[in-house]
Amino acid sequence: MAAVVLSGLLLRTTTVAQNPGQQLIDDAVAAMGGRERIMPVKTLMLEGGGHDFQVDQEFAYDELGSQNLVYQLRDYKRSYDLANGRGRFEQIREAQSTIFNGERPQRSVQAVDGDIAFNIGDNGDATRVFQAARRRVGYLRNPLTLMRAALAANATLSNVRTQGTERLVDLKLDAILLTVAFDANTKLPSRVVQLVYNETLGDRPNEMRWSDYRAVSGVQLPTLLTWKVGRWTVGQVRVVRQTIDGDVGNLAVPAGVVSAPRPLAPAPPETALR
């Protein structure tokens, strides 16, 4: 019997070692601080600011010779309750061009609790929005939340490949499909990409890139967030403060929001949070 058990353990160890996708995740987790440090983290909060270039339709503001569509992002804040899979994403967005003088800065607060997405208005009232998959992807656009998800039982890894100085793997989490890239030298996660369908342009890669990692309570986290749509850089945020296991408040969905009925007509498109 002991020989059979030992044989099974050896087989399982060999199988894991032969899975190149799992090896990429394990190496990244080790580079970020190790599984024993990553998995016990209960909360994460990051704060910073930057710019949103409002690029769309495959044009860039500099290519058009105008910066009219540049917006400042301030009070950029991301709060995560990792123990319960909850997130709250806040920012103020303000046009920088003089032609928008008098336009009120736009404050947005979006949140997700498991498979329920909701927004919080200026008056503090919460409203359910039926875009849980999109909001869940927003929750995963951080190396800490993404690596923890990649270690979960429902994660499927496939199609490991090399692209320049990066190693890539496709990650499937239930209905969500992402491509995750890792720096071949540091082993740290370098970007995550999702194909997003556009009625005019078809599938376009929506990418979040992470760089300038710094240690925060024993965990390596990026301090520069850069996102792209298609081939254009469309925004960037510098993180100035990050806190692990601090007080992020109550991120649970309000009870009245859970039972909100689905609207009969499609909800209008919302501004995507980076």
Side-chain angles (χ1 to χ4, degrees):
M1 175 65 72
V4 172
V5 172
L6 179 60
S7 175
L9 290 174
L10 290 174
L11 178 60
R12 184 163 62 250
T13 302
T14 302
T15 301
V16 171
Q18 290 176 343
N19 184 334
Q22 189 62 55
Q23 189 64 56
L24 285 178
I25 301 300
D26 290 345
D27 288 347
V29 169
M32 290 179 64
R35 187 180 297 220
E36 67 283 354
R37 182 66 191 98
I38 298 297
M39 296 309 294
V41 173
K42 295 181 176 61
T43 67
L44 169 67
M45 180 186 293
L46 62 90
E47 300 168 86
H51 291 88
D52 178 356
F53 301 135
Q54 191 65 15
V55 176
D56 205 356
Q57 303 301 322
E58 292 299 292
F59 290 108
Y61 70 93
D62 53 346
E63 190 175 57
L64 296 174
S66 170
Q67 296 191 22
N68 289 343
L69 297 181
V70 177
Y71 289 79
Q72 180 191 62
L73 298 178
R74 64 176 188 270
D75 294 346
Y76 184 94
K77 183 177 179 181
R78 298 292 181 267
S79 304
Y80 302 89
D81 174 356
L82 287 85
N84 296 292
R86 298 167 179 161
R88 177 170 167 145
F89 317 124
E90 308 174 46
Q91 67 183 32
I92 293 177
R93 185 170 171 273
E94 183 174 6
Q96 296 300 285
S97 173
T98 56
I99 69 172
F100 291 104
N101 280 349
E103 181 179 280
R104 181 173 176 267
Q106 301 169 342
R107 181 177 185 268
S108 61
V109 181
Q110 300 181 356
V112 61
D113 183 351
D115 59 357
I116 298 177
F118 58 102
N119 296 336
I120 301 174
D122 292 341
N123 60 0
D125 290 345
T127 304
R128 183 167 180 175
V129 291
F130 292 86
Q131 300 170 338
R134 180 187 300 180
R135 200 65 57 85
R136 178 53 52 182
V137 171
Y139 176 90
L140 294 171
R141 285 162 70 90
N142 182 284
L144 182 57
T145 58
L146 186 60
M147 290 303 98
R148 285 171 56 117
L151 293 171
N154 66 327
T156 302
L157 301 163
S158 61
N159 192 23
V160 174
R161 58 220 186 259
T162 299
Q163 188 177 97
T165 60
E166 294 178 315
R167 295 279 284 162
L168 283 71
V169 64
D170 292 336
L171 169 62
K172 190 174 186 296
L173 296 164
D174 298 324
I176 296 173
L177 180 61
L178 305 169
T179 295
V180 189
F182 305 85
D183 186 288
N185 296 317
T186 66
K187 312 299 183 184
L188 291 167
S190 55
R191 58 191 172 109
V192 62
V193 184
Q194 182 192 33
L195 287 181
V196 178
Y197 178 74
N198 178 282
E199 292 184 358
T200 304
L201 302 168
D203 287 335
R204 292 192 299 170
N206 193 319
E207 171 186 309
M208 171 67 83
R209 179 172 289 275
W210 306 300
S211 58
D212 200 4
Y213 276 78
R214 307 286 176 88
V216 180
S217 300
V219 179
Q220 291 290 329
L221 294 173
T223 61
L224 187 63
L225 315 178
T226 305
W227 53 93
K228 299 175 64 175
V229 174
R231 58 198 176 103
W232 302 117
T233 297
V234 301
Q236 190 171 74
V237 163
R238 170 64 70 177
V239 179
V240 298
R241 184 181 301 106
Q242 300 193 76
T243 306
I244 283 179
D245 289 340
D247 183 7
V248 297
N250 182 8
L251 305 185
V253 57
V257 174
V258 177
S259 58
R262 180 181 291 272
L264 298 177
E270 63 177 29
T271 302
L273 283 182
R274 312 302 186 184

